[in-house]
Coordinates of all heavy atoms in Angstrom, one line a residue:
M516 N 40.4 -78.7 -69.4 CA 39.1 -78.3 -69.4 C 38.2 -79.2 -68.5 O 37.4 -78.6 -67.8 CB 38.6 -78.3 -70.9 CG 37.3 -77.7 -71.0 SD 37.3 -76.0 -70.6 CE 35.9 -75.4 -71.5
A517 N 38.4 -80.5 -68.6 CA 37.6 -81.3 -67.7 C 37.8 -81.1 -66.2 O 36.9 -81.2 -65.5 CB 37.9 -82.8 -68.1
A518 N 39.0 -80.8 -65.9 CA 39.4 -80.5 -64.5 C 38.6 -79.3 -64.0 O 38.1 -79.2 -62.9 CB 40.9 -80.3 -64.3
L519 N 38.5 -78.2 -64.8 CA 37.8 -77.0 -64.4 C 36.4 -77.3 -64.3 O 35.7 -76.8 -63.4 CB 38.1 -75.9 -65.5 CG 39.4 -75.3 -65.5 CD1 39.5 -74.3 -66.7 CD2 39.8 -74.6 -64.2
I520 N 35.8 -78.1 -65.2 CA 34.4 -78.4 -65.0 C 34.1 -79.2 -63.8 O 33.1 -79.0 -63.0 CB 33.9 -79.2 -66.3 CG1 33.9 -78.2 -67.5 CG2 32.5 -79.8 -66.1 CD1 33.7 -78.9 -68.9
G521 N 35.1 -80.1 -63.4 CA 34.9 -80.9 -62.2 C 35.0 -80.1 -61.0 O 34.2 -80.3 -60.0
V522 N 35.9 -79.1 -61.0 CA 36.0 -78.2 -59.8 C 34.7 -77.4 -59.7 O 34.2 -77.2 -58.6 CB 37.3 -77.3 -59.9 CG1 37.2 -76.2 -58.9 CG2 38.5 -78.2 -59.8
W523 N 34.3 -76.8 -60.8 CA 33.0 -76.0 -60.8 C 31.9 -76.9 -60.2 O 31.1 -76.4 -59.4 CB 32.7 -75.5 -62.2 CG 31.3 -74.9 -62.3 CD1 31.0 -73.6 -62.0 CD2 30.1 -75.5 -62.7 NE1 29.7 -73.4 -62.1 CE2 29.1 -74.6 -62.6 CE3 29.8 -76.8 -63.2 CZ2 27.8 -74.9 -62.9 CZ3 28.5 -77.1 -63.5 CH2 27.5 -76.1 -63.4
W524 N 31.7 -78.1 -60.8 CA 30.6 -79.0 -60.3 C 30.7 -79.2 -58.8 O 29.7 -79.2 -58.2 CB 30.7 -80.3 -61.1 CG 29.6 -81.2 -60.7 CD1 28.4 -81.3 -61.1 CD2 29.7 -82.2 -59.7 NE1 27.6 -82.2 -60.5 CE2 28.4 -82.9 -59.6 CE3 30.7 -82.7 -58.9 CZ2 28.2 -83.9 -58.8 CZ3 30.5 -83.7 -58.0 CH2 29.2 -84.3 -58.0
F525 N 31.9 -79.5 -58.3 CA 32.1 -79.8 -56.9 C 31.6 -78.6 -56.0 O 30.9 -78.8 -55.1 CB 33.6 -80.1 -56.6 CG 33.8 -80.3 -55.2 CD1 33.4 -81.5 -54.5 CD2 34.5 -79.4 -54.4 CE1 33.7 -81.7 -53.2 CE2 34.8 -79.5 -53.1 CZ 34.3 -80.7 -52.4
F526 N 32.1 -77.4 -56.4 CA 31.7 -76.3 -55.6 C 30.3 -75.7 -55.7 O 29.9 -74.9 -54.9 CB 32.8 -75.1 -55.8 CG 34.1 -75.4 -55.1 CD1 35.2 -75.7 -55.8 CD2 34.2 -75.3 -53.7 CE1 36.4 -76.0 -55.2 CE2 35.4 -75.6 -53.1 CZ 36.5 -75.9 -53.8
T527 N 29.6 -76.1 -56.8 CA 28.3 -75.6 -57.0 C 27.2 -76.6 -56.8 O 26.1 -76.3 -56.6 CB 28.1 -75.0 -58.4 OG1 28.4 -76.0 -59.4 CG2 29.1 -73.8 -58.6
Q528 N 27.5 -77.9 -56.9 CA 26.5 -79.0 -56.9 C 26.6 -79.9 -55.7 O 25.7 -80.7 -55.5 CB 26.6 -79.8 -58.2 CG 26.4 -79.0 -59.4 CD 25.1 -78.2 -59.5 OE1 24.0 -78.8 -59.2 NE2 25.1 -77.0 -59.9
T529 N 27.6 -79.8 -54.9 CA 27.7 -80.7 -53.7 C 27.6 -79.8 -52.4 O 28.1 -78.7 -52.4 CB 29.0 -81.5 -53.7 OG1 30.1 -80.6 -53.5 CG2 29.2 -82.3 -54.9
T530 N 27.0 -80.4 -51.4 CA 26.9 -79.7 -50.1 C 28.3 -79.4 -49.5 O 28.5 -78.3 -49.0 CB 26.1 -80.5 -49.1 OG1 24.8 -80.7 -49.7 CG2 25.9 -79.8 -47.8
L531 N 29.2 -80.4 -49.5 CA 30.5 -80.2 -49.0 C 31.3 -79.0 -49.8 O 31.8 -78.1 -49.2 CB 31.4 -81.5 -49.1 CG 32.8 -81.3 -48.8 CD1 33.0 -80.9 -47.3 CD2 33.5 -82.7 -49.0
G532 N 31.1 -79.0 -51.1 CA 31.8 -77.9 -51.9 C 31.2 -76.6 -51.6 O 31.9 -75.6 -51.4
Q533 N 29.9 -76.5 -51.4 CA 29.2 -75.3 -51.1 C 29.6 -74.8 -49.7 O 29.9 -73.6 -49.5 CB 27.7 -75.4 -51.2 CG 27.2 -75.6 -52.6 CD 25.8 -76.0 -52.7 OE1 25.1 -76.2 -51.7 NE2 25.3 -76.1 -53.9
N534 N 29.7 -75.7 -48.7 CA 30.2 -75.3 -47.4 C 31.6 -74.8 -47.4 O 32.0 -73.8 -46.7 CB 30.0 -76.5 -46.4 CG 28.6 -76.8 -46.1 OD1 27.7 -75.9 -46.3 ND2 28.3 -78.0 -45.5
L535 N 32.5 -75.5 -48.1 CA 33.9 -75.1 -48.2 C 34.0 -73.7 -48.9 O 34.8 -72.8 -48.4 CB 34.7 -76.1 -49.1 CG 35.0 -77.4 -48.3 CD1 35.6 -78.4 -49.3 CD2 35.8 -77.2 -47.1
A536 N 33.2 -73.5 -49.9 CA 33.2 -72.1 -50.6 C 32.7 -71.1 -49.6 O 33.3 -69.9 -49.6 CB 32.4 -72.2 -51.9
A537 N 31.7 -71.4 -48.9 CA 31.1 -70.4 -48.0 C 32.1 -70.0 -46.9 O 32.3 -68.9 -46.5 CB 29.8 -70.9 -47.3
E538 N 32.8 -71.0 -46.3 CA 33.8 -70.8 -45.3 C 35.0 -70.0 -45.9 O 35.5 -69.1 -45.2 CB 34.3 -72.1 -44.7 CG 33.3 -72.8 -43.9 CD 33.8 -74.1 -43.4 OE1 35.0 -74.3 -43.3 OE2 32.9 -75.0 -43.1
A539 N 35.4 -70.3 -47.1 CA 36.5 -69.5 -47.7 C 36.1 -68.1 -48.0 O 37.0 -67.2 -47.9 CB 36.9 -70.2 -49.0
C540 N 34.9 -67.8 -48.2 CA 34.4 -66.5 -48.5 C 33.9 -65.8 -47.3 O 33.2 -64.7 -47.4 CB 33.3 -66.5 -49.6 SG 33.9 -67.2 -51.2
G541 N 34.1 -66.4 -46.1 CA 33.6 -65.7 -44.9 C 32.1 -65.9 -44.6 O 31.6 -65.2 -43.8
G542 N 31.5 -66.9 -45.2 CA 30.1 -67.2 -45.0 C 29.9 -67.9 -43.6 O 30.8 -68.0 -42.8
C543 N 28.8 -68.4 -43.4 CA 28.5 -69.1 -42.1 C 28.9 -70.5 -42.1 O 28.2 -71.4 -42.4 CB 27.0 -69.1 -41.9 SG 26.4 -67.4 -41.3
G544 N 30.2 -70.7 -41.8 CA 30.7 -72.0 -41.6 C 30.8 -72.3 -40.2 O 29.8 -72.8 -39.6
E545 N 31.9 -72.0 -39.6 CA 32.1 -72.2 -38.1 C 32.6 -71.0 -37.5 O 33.3 -70.3 -38.1 CB 33.1 -73.3 -38.0 CG 33.3 -73.8 -36.6 CD 34.3 -75.0 -36.6 OE1 34.6 -75.6 -37.6 OE2 34.8 -75.2 -35.5
G546 N 32.1 -70.6 -36.3 CA 32.7 -69.5 -35.5 C 31.6 -68.9 -34.7 O 30.5 -69.4 -34.5
Q547 N 31.9 -67.6 -34.3 CA 31.0 -66.9 -33.4 C 29.9 -66.3 -34.3 O 30.1 -65.5 -35.2 CB 31.7 -65.8 -32.7 CG 32.7 -66.3 -31.7 CD 32.0 -67.1 -30.6 OE1 31.0 -66.7 -30.0 NE2 32.6 -68.3 -30.3
R548 N 28.6 -66.8 -34.1 CA 27.5 -66.4 -35.0 C 26.3 -66.2 -34.1 O 26.1 -66.6 -33.0 CB 27.1 -67.6 -35.9 CG 28.3 -68.2 -36.6 CD 28.6 -67.7 -37.9 NE 29.6 -68.4 -38.6 CZ 30.7 -67.8 -39.0 NH1 30.9 -66.5 -38.8 NH2 31.6 -68.5 -39.6
T549 N 25.3 -65.4 -34.7 CA 24.0 -65.4 -34.2 C 23.1 -66.0 -35.3 O 23.1 -65.5 -36.4 CB 23.6 -63.9 -33.9 OG1 24.4 -63.4 -32.9 CG2 22.1 -63.9 -33.4
V550 N 22.4 -67.0 -34.9 CA 21.5 -67.7 -35.9 C 20.1 -67.5 -35.4 O 19.7 -67.7 -34.3 CB 21.8 -69.2 -35.9 CG1 20.8 -69.9 -36.8 CG2 23.3 -69.5 -36.4
T551 N 19.2 -67.0 -36.4 CA 17.8 -66.8 -36.1 C 17.0 -67.6 -37.0 O 17.3 -67.6 -38.2 CB 17.4 -65.3 -36.3 OG1 18.3 -64.5 -35.5 CG2 16.0 -65.1 -35.9
V552 N 16.1 -68.4 -36.5 CA 15.3 -69.3 -37.3 C 13.9 -68.7 -37.4 O 13.3 -68.4 -36.4 CB 15.2 -70.7 -36.7 CG1 14.4 -71.7 -37.6 CG2 16.6 -71.3 -36.5
Y553 N 13.4 -68.6 -38.6 CA 12.1 -68.0 -38.9 C 11.1 -69.0 -39.4 O 11.4 -69.8 -40.2 CB 12.2 -66.8 -39.9 CG 13.0 -65.7 -39.4 CD1 14.4 -65.7 -39.8 CD2 12.5 -64.6 -38.7 CE1 15.2 -64.5 -39.3 CE2 13.3 -63.6 -38.3 CZ 14.6 -63.5 -38.6 OH 15.4 -62.5 -38.2
A554 N 9.8 -68.9 -39.0 CA 8.7 -69.7 -39.6 C 8.4 -69.1 -40.9 O 8.8 -67.9 -41.3 CB 7.5 -69.7 -38.7
A555 N 7.5 -69.8 -41.7 CA 7.1 -69.3 -43.0 C 6.4 -67.9 -43.0 O 6.5 -67.1 -43.9 CB 6.2 -70.3 -43.7
D556 N 5.7 -67.6 -41.8 CA 5.0 -66.4 -41.7 C 5.9 -65.2 -41.2 O 5.4 -64.1 -41.0 CB 3.8 -66.5 -40.8 CG 4.1 -67.0 -39.4 OD1 5.3 -67.1 -39.0 OD2 3.2 -67.2 -38.6
G557 N 7.2 -65.5 -40.9 CA 8.1 -64.5 -40.5 C 8.3 -64.4 -39.0 O 9.2 -63.7 -38.5
D558 N 7.5 -65.2 -38.2 CA 7.7 -65.2 -36.8 C 9.0 -65.9 -36.4 O 9.4 -66.9 -37.1 CB 6.6 -66.0 -36.1 CG 5.3 -65.2 -36.1 OD1 5.3 -64.0 -36.3 OD2 4.2 -65.8 -35.9
I559 N 9.7 -65.4 -35.4 CA 11.0 -66.0 -34.9 C 10.6 -67.3 -34.1 O 9.9 -67.2 -33.2 CB 11.8 -65.1 -34.1 CG1 12.3 -63.9 -35.0 CG2 13.0 -65.8 -33.5 CD1 13.0 -62.8 -34.2
I560 N 11.2 -68.4 -34.6 CA 11.0 -69.7 -33.8 C 12.1 -69.8 -32.8 O 11.7 -70.2 -31.6 CB 11.1 -70.8 -34.9 CG1 10.1 -70.8 -35.9 CG2 11.2 -72.2 -34.1 CD1 10.2 -71.9 -37.0
A561 N 13.3 -69.5 -33.1 CA 14.4 -69.6 -32.1 C 15.6 -68.7 -32.6 O 15.7 -68.3 -33.7 CB 14.8 -71.1 -32.0
Q562 N 16.4 -68.4 -31.5 CA 17.7 -67.7 -31.8 C 18.7 -68.2 -31.0 O 18.6 -68.5 -29.7 CB 17.4 -66.2 -31.5 CG 18.5 -65.3 -32.0 CD 18.1 -63.8 -32.0 OE1 17.5 -63.4 -31.0 NE2 18.4 -63.1 -33.1
Y563 N 19.9 -68.3 -31.6 CA 21.1 -68.9 -30.9 C 22.2 -68.0 -31.1 O 22.4 -67.4 -32.2 CB 21.4 -70.3 -31.4 CG 20.3 -71.2 -31.4 CD1 19.4 -71.3 -32.5 CD2 20.0 -72.0 -30.3 CE1 18.3 -72.2 -32.5 CE2 18.9 -72.9 -30.3 CZ 18.1 -73.0 -31.4 OH 17.0 -73.9 -31.4
A564 N 23.1 -67.8 -30.1 CA 24.3 -67.0 -30.3 C 25.5 -67.7 -29.6 O 25.4 -68.2 -28.5 CB 24.2 -65.6 -29.7
G565 N 26.6 -67.8 -30.4 CA 27.8 -68.5 -29.8 C 28.6 -69.1 -30.9 O 28.5 -68.7 -32.1
D566 N 29.4 -70.1 -30.5 CA 30.2 -70.8 -31.5 C 29.4 -71.9 -32.2 O 29.0 -72.9 -31.6 CB 31.4 -71.5 -30.7 CG 32.4 -72.1 -31.7 OD1 32.5 -71.7 -32.8 OD2 33.1 -73.0 -31.2
I567 N 29.0 -71.6 -33.4 CA 28.0 -72.4 -34.1 C 28.6 -72.8 -35.5 O 29.2 -72.0 -36.2 CB 26.7 -71.6 -34.3 CG1 26.1 -71.2 -33.0 CG2 25.7 -72.4 -35.2 CD1 24.9 -70.3 -33.1
E568 N 28.4 -74.1 -35.8 CA 28.9 -74.7 -37.1 C 27.6 -75.0 -37.9 O 26.8 -75.8 -37.5 CB 29.7 -75.9 -36.9 CG 30.1 -76.6 -38.2 CD 30.9 -77.9 -37.9 OE1 31.2 -78.1 -36.8 OE2 31.0 -78.6 -38.9
I569 N 27.4 -74.3 -39.0 CA 26.2 -74.5 -39.8 C 26.5 -75.5 -40.9 O 27.6 -75.6 -41.5 CB 25.9 -73.2 -40.6 CG1 25.6 -72.1 -39.6 CG2 24.7 -73.3 -41.5 CD1 24.3 -72.1 -38.8
Q570 N 25.5 -76.4 -41.1 CA 25.6 -77.3 -42.3 C 24.3 -77.2 -43.0 O 23.2 -77.3 -42.5 CB 25.7 -78.7 -41.7 CG 27.0 -79.0 -41.0 CD 27.0 -80.3 -40.3 OE1 26.1 -81.0 -40.1 NE2 28.2 -80.7 -39.9
R571 N 24.4 -77.0 -44.3 CA 23.2 -76.9 -45.2 C 23.1 -78.1 -46.1 O 24.1 -78.7 -46.4 CB 23.4 -75.7 -46.1 CG 23.4 -74.4 -45.4 CD 23.7 -73.2 -46.3 NE 23.8 -71.9 -45.7 CZ 24.9 -71.5 -45.2 NH1 26.0 -72.1 -45.3 NH2 24.9 -70.3 -44.6
S572 N 21.9 -78.4 -46.6 CA 21.8 -79.5 -47.5 C 21.0 -79.0 -48.7 O 20.3 -78.0 -48.7 CB 21.0 -80.7 -46.9 OG 19.6 -80.4 -46.8
D573 N 21.1 -79.8 -49.7 CA 20.4 -79.3 -51.0 C 18.9 -79.5 -50.9 O 18.2 -78.9 -51.7 CB 20.9 -80.2 -52.2 CG 22.4 -80.0 -52.5 OD1 22.9 -78.9 -52.1 OD2 23.0 -81.0 -53.0
S574 N 18.4 -80.2 -49.9 CA 17.0 -80.4 -49.8 C 16.3 -79.3 -48.9 O 15.1 -79.5 -48.5 CB 16.7 -81.8 -49.2 OG 17.3 -81.9 -48.0
G575 N 17.0 -78.3 -48.5 CA 16.4 -77.2 -47.7 C 16.5 -77.5 -46.2 O 15.9 -76.8 -45.4
V576 N 17.3 -78.4 -45.8 CA 17.4 -78.8 -44.3 C 18.7 -78.0 -43.8 O 19.7 -78.0 -44.4 CB 17.6 -80.2 -44.1 CG1 17.8 -80.6 -42.6 CG2 16.4 -81.0 -44.6
I577 N 18.5 -77.3 -42.7 CA 19.5 -76.6 -42.0 C 19.8 -77.3 -40.7 O 18.9 -77.5 -39.9 CB 19.2 -75.1 -41.8 CG1 18.8 -74.4 -43.0 CG2 20.3 -74.4 -41.0 CD1 19.9 -74.2 -44.0
S578 N 21.1 -77.7 -40.5 CA 21.5 -78.3 -39.2 C 22.7 -77.5 -38.7 O 23.5 -76.9 -39.4 CB 21.9 -79.7 -39.5 OG 20.9 -80.5 -39.8
F579 N 22.8 -77.5 -37.4 CA 23.9 -76.8 -36.7 C 24.1 -77.4 -35.4 O 23.3 -78.0 -34.8 CB 23.9 -75.3 -36.7 CG 22.6 -74.8 -36.0 CD1 22.6 -74.5 -34.7 CD2 21.4 -74.5 -36.7 CE1 21.5 -74.0 -34.0 CE2 20.3 -74.0 -36.1 CZ 20.4 -73.7 -34.8
V580 N 25.4 -77.2 -34.9 CA 25.8 -77.7 -33.6 C 25.9 -76.5 -32.7 O 26.7 -75.5 -33.1 CB 27.1 -78.5 -33.7 CG1 27.5 -78.9 -32.3 CG2 26.9 -79.8 -34.5
F581 N 25.3 -76.4 -31.6 CA 25.3 -75.3 -30.7 C 25.5 -75.9 -29.2 O 24.6 -76.7 -28.8 CB 24.1 -74.4 -30.8 CG 24.0 -73.3 -29.8 CD1 25.0 -72.3 -29.8 CD2 23.1 -73.3 -28.8 CE1 24.9 -71.3 -28.9 CE2 23.0 -72.3 -27.9 CZ 23.9 -71.3 -27.9
E582 N 26.5 -75.6 -28.5 CA 26.8 -76.0 -27.2 C 26.7 -77.5 -27.1 O 26.2 -78.1 -26.1 CB 25.9 -75.3 -26.2 CG 26.2 -73.8 -26.1 CD 25.3 -73.2 -25.0 OE1 24.4 -73.8 -24.5 OE2 25.6 -72.0 -24.8
G583 N 27.2 -78.3 -28.1 CA 27.2 -79.7 -28.1 C 26.0 -80.4 -28.5 O 26.0 -81.6 -28.6
D584 N 24.9 -79.7 -28.8 CA 23.7 -80.3 -29.2 C 23.4 -80.0 -30.7 O 23.7 -78.8 -31.2 CB 22.5 -79.7 -28.4 CG 22.5 -80.1 -26.9 OD1 23.0 -81.2 -26.6 OD2 22.1 -79.3 -26.1
R585 N 22.9 -80.9 -31.4 CA 22.6 -80.7 -32.9 C 21.1 -80.3 -33.0 O 20.2 -80.9 -32.5 CB 22.8 -82.0 -33.7 CG 22.4 -81.8 -35.1 CD 22.8 -83.0 -36.0 NE 24.3 -83.1 -36.1 CZ 25.1 -82.3 -36.8 NH1 24.6 -81.4 -37.6 NH2 26.4 -82.5 -36.9
Y586 N 21.0 -79.2 -33.8 CA 19.6 -78.7 -34.1 C 19.4 -78.8 -35.6 O 20.2 -78.6 -36.4 CB 19.5 -77.2 -33.7 CG 19.6 -77.0 -32.2 CD1 20.8 -76.9 -31.6 CD2 18.5 -77.0 -31.4 CE1 21.0 -76.7 -30.2 CE2 18.6 -76.8 -30.0 CZ 19.8 -76.6 -29.4 OH 20.0 -76.5 -28.1
T587 N 18.2 -79.3 -36.0 CA 17.9 -79.5 -37.4 C 16.5 -78.8 -37.6 O 15.5 -79.1 -36.9 CB 17.8 -81.0 -37.8 OG1 19.1 -81.6 -37.5 CG2 17.5 -81.1 -39.3
Y588 N 16.4 -78.0 -38.6 CA 15.2 -77.3 -39.0 C 14.8 -77.6 -40.4 O 15.7 -77.6 -41.3 CB 15.3 -75.8 -38.8 CG 15.3 -75.4 -37.3 CD1 16.5 -75.3 -36.7 CD2 14.2 -75.2 -36.6 CE1 16.6 -74.9 -35.3 CE2 14.2 -74.9 -35.3 CZ 15.4 -74.7 -34.7 OH 15.4 -74.4 -33.4
Y589 N 13.6 -77.8 -40.7 CA 13.1 -78.2 -42.0 C 12.1 -77.0 -42.5 O 11.3 -76.6 -41.6 CB 12.3 -79.5 -42.0 CG 13.1 -80.7 -41.6 CD1 13.2 -81.0 -40.2 CD2 13.8 -81.4 -42.5 CE1 14.0 -82.1 -39.8 CE2 14.5 -82.5 -42.1 CZ 14.7 -82.8 -40.7 OH 15.4 -83.9 -40.3
N590 N 12.2 -76.7 -43.7 CA 11.2 -75.7 -44.3 C 11.1 -74.4 -43.5 O 10.1 -73.9 -43.3 CB 9.8 -76.4 -44.4 CG 9.8 -77.6 -45.2 OD1 10.5 -77.6 -46.2 ND2 9.1 -78.6 -44.8
C591 N 12.3 -73.9 -43.1 CA 12.3 -72.6 -42.3 C 13.4 -71.7 -43.0 O 14.2 -72.2 -43.7 CB 12.7 -72.9 -40.8 SG 11.6 -73.8 -39.9
S592 N 13.3 -70.5 -42.7 CA 14.3 -69.5 -43.1 C 15.3 -69.4 -42.0 O 14.8 -69.3 -40.9 CB 13.7 -68.2 -43.5 OG 12.8 -68.3 -44.6
V593 N 16.5 -69.3 -42.3 CA 17.6 -69.2 -41.3 C 18.5 -68.0 -41.6 O 19.0 -67.9 -42.8 CB 18.4 -70.4 -41.1 CG1 19.5 -70.2 -40.1 CG2 17.5 -71.6 -40.7
E594 N 18.6 -67.1 -40.7 CA 19.5 -66.0 -40.9 C 20.8 -66.2 -40.0 O 20.6 -66.5 -38.8 CB 18.8 -64.7 -40.5 CG 19.7 -63.5 -40.6 CD 19.0 -62.2 -40.0 OE1 18.5 -62.3 -39.0 OE2 19.1 -61.2 -40.7
C595 N 21.9 -66.0 -40.6 CA 23.2 -66.3 -39.9 C 24.0 -65.0 -39.9 O 24.3 -64.5 -41.0 CB 23.9 -67.5 -40.5 SG 25.5 -67.8 -39.7
V596 N 24.4 -64.4 -38.8 CA 25.2 -63.2 -38.8 C 26.4 -63.5 -38.1 O 26.5 -64.0 -36.9 CB 24.4 -62.1 -38.1 CG1 25.2 -60.8 -38.0 CG2 23.1 -61.8 -38.8
S597 N 27.6 -63.3 -38.7 CA 28.9 -63.5 -38.1 C 29.2 -62.4 -37.1 O 28.8 -61.2 -37.4 CB 30.0 -63.6 -39.2 OG 29.7 -64.6 -40.1
A598 N 29.9 -62.7 -36.1 CA 30.3 -61.7 -35.1 C 31.5 -60.9 -35.8 O 32.3 -61.5 -36.5 CB 30.8 -62.4 -33.8
P599 N 31.6 -59.6 -35.5 CA 32.6 -58.8 -36.1 C 34.0 -59.3 -35.6 O 34.2 -59.7 -34.4 CB 32.3 -57.4 -35.6 CG 31.4 -57.5 -34.5 CD 30.7 -58.9 -34.6
K600 N 35.0 -59.3 -36.5 CA 36.3 -59.7 -36.1 C 37.0 -58.6 -35.3 O 36.9 -57.5 -35.7 CB 37.1 -60.1 -37.4 CG 36.6 -61.3 -38.0 CD 37.4 -61.7 -39.2 CE 36.8 -63.0 -39.8 NZ 37.5 -63.4 -41.0
E601 N 37.7 -59.0 -34.3 CA 38.4 -57.9 -33.5 C 39.8 -57.8 -33.9 O 40.5 -58.7 -34.3 CB 38.3 -58.3 -32.0 CG 36.8 -58.3 -31.6 CD 36.6 -58.8 -30.1 OE1 37.7 -59.0 -29.4 OE2 35.5 -58.9 -29.7

């Protein structure tokens, strides 16, 4: 029972666990993606398309690596769309 609670806690309460679960479920982990960053009023701040690795934090910070550069956004909404598999 303690092992099940430990596994549940890891996948729901830690950033690493949430990222692993998202990747396993086809979420925005790593791969061909289109990432759109929105301001609080809904305006598009930036848009990126390509091989992108997303990293989320519990504090609402979104970071990702795109073409070798790290981008970090605070207090923004981020939409991530995976490219269709061929």
Side-chain angles (χ1 to χ4, degrees):
M516 184 67 159
L519 290 175
I520 292 172
V522 170
W523 171 82
W524 179 85
F525 175 76
F526 283 107
T527 61
Q528 302 301 314
T529 66
T530 302
L531 176 60
Q533 291 170 356
N534 287 343
L535 290 174
E538 289 177 26
C540 296
C543 283
E545 183 177 347
Q547 296 298 313
R548 317 264 184 237
T549 299
V550 175
T551 307
V552 182
Y553 296 94
D556 62 2
D558 289 340
I559 294 176
I560 296 173
Q562 191 168 44
Y563 307 90
D566 188 22
I567 299 171
E568 178 183 348
I569 300 285
Q570 297 174 342
R571 298 176 180 91
S572 77
D573 296 334
S574 61
V576 178
I577 302 291
S578 295
F579 57 90
V580 176
F581 175 67
E582 294 183 351
D584 294 325
R585 176 170 296 283
Y586 296 86
T587 303
Y588 288 94
Y589 301 87
N590 301 318
C591 296
S592 297
V593 177
E594 177 185 48
C595 178
V596 178
S597 300
K600 294 182 180 180
E601 297 177 6

